[in-house]
Amino acid sequence: GIDGQTHAPLTVAARKATVVIFTLPDCPIANAFAPEINRLVADYSAKGIGFYLAHVDRDLSAAAARKHAKDFGIQCPVLLDSQHALVNALGATKTPQAFLLDTTGKPVYHGRINNLFADYGTRRQTVTQHDLRNALDAVLAGKPVPQPVTEAIGCHIQTNSETKSP
């Protein structure tokens, strides 16, 4: 993590569930979700849910990630996933994309945080579907997640075989 600590987001036995949200510092869609991410952390951390924000830019320094976290007031541990270990383990493809893991580390939800964006460049005035919150509430109630997969709208995560444009 950017705090110098070692974190194990896929080991969740001590928590009721864990959320990993993938991000890029230059993705405007991901950055638009920072206030909601902070609200989720505030609303669910005390209920036993762990949160991590994972930066997937292969060239991002810890200092740049710390600045991004400070600029957006991020309230959860921030990880650097420059080698895409988390991306590959969970199958992330976009930012922001959220993964909710149960106590065994198995994803029980993945997709969008909510429907703030109808499409690329099309932001809704009012959020009407709170997908991640619904999934969290179901897990906390001991029920199956009603919609375990949604389509995330955001910036593409470059795979190791893709080259970064200049």
Side-chain angles (χ1 to χ4, degrees), residues 26-124:
D26 58 352
C27 178
I29 295 173
N31 289 336
F33 277 96
E36 177 61 9
I37 291 168
N38 288 331
R39 285 189 292 271
L40 286 162
V41 172
D43 293 347
Y44 288 94
S45 290
K47 297 176 182 178
I49 307 294
F51 285 87
Y52 296 94
L53 189 69
H55 278 285
V56 298
D57 185 332
R58 288 178 270 158
D59 300 322
L60 187 70
S61 69
R66 278 191 295 275
K67 180 180 181 332
H68 180 265
K70 183 179 179 191
D71 289 349
F72 287 92
I74 300 302
Q75 300 297 310
C76 64
V78 178
L79 310 175
L80 293 175
D81 191 27
S82 58
Q83 300 301 309
H84 289 181
L86 285 173
V87 167
N88 294 331
L90 296 173
T93 58
K94 295 181 179 153
T95 69
Q97 189 173 28
F99 286 78
L100 174 58
L101 312 176
D102 68 11
T103 56
T104 68
K106 175 184 166 253
V108 293
Y109 171 80
H110 73 273
R112 65 188 183 184
I113 295 168
N114 62 36
N115 71 340
L116 177 62
F117 285 86
D119 204 345
Y120 295 94
T122 307
R123 186 175 175 154
R124 287 185 168 87

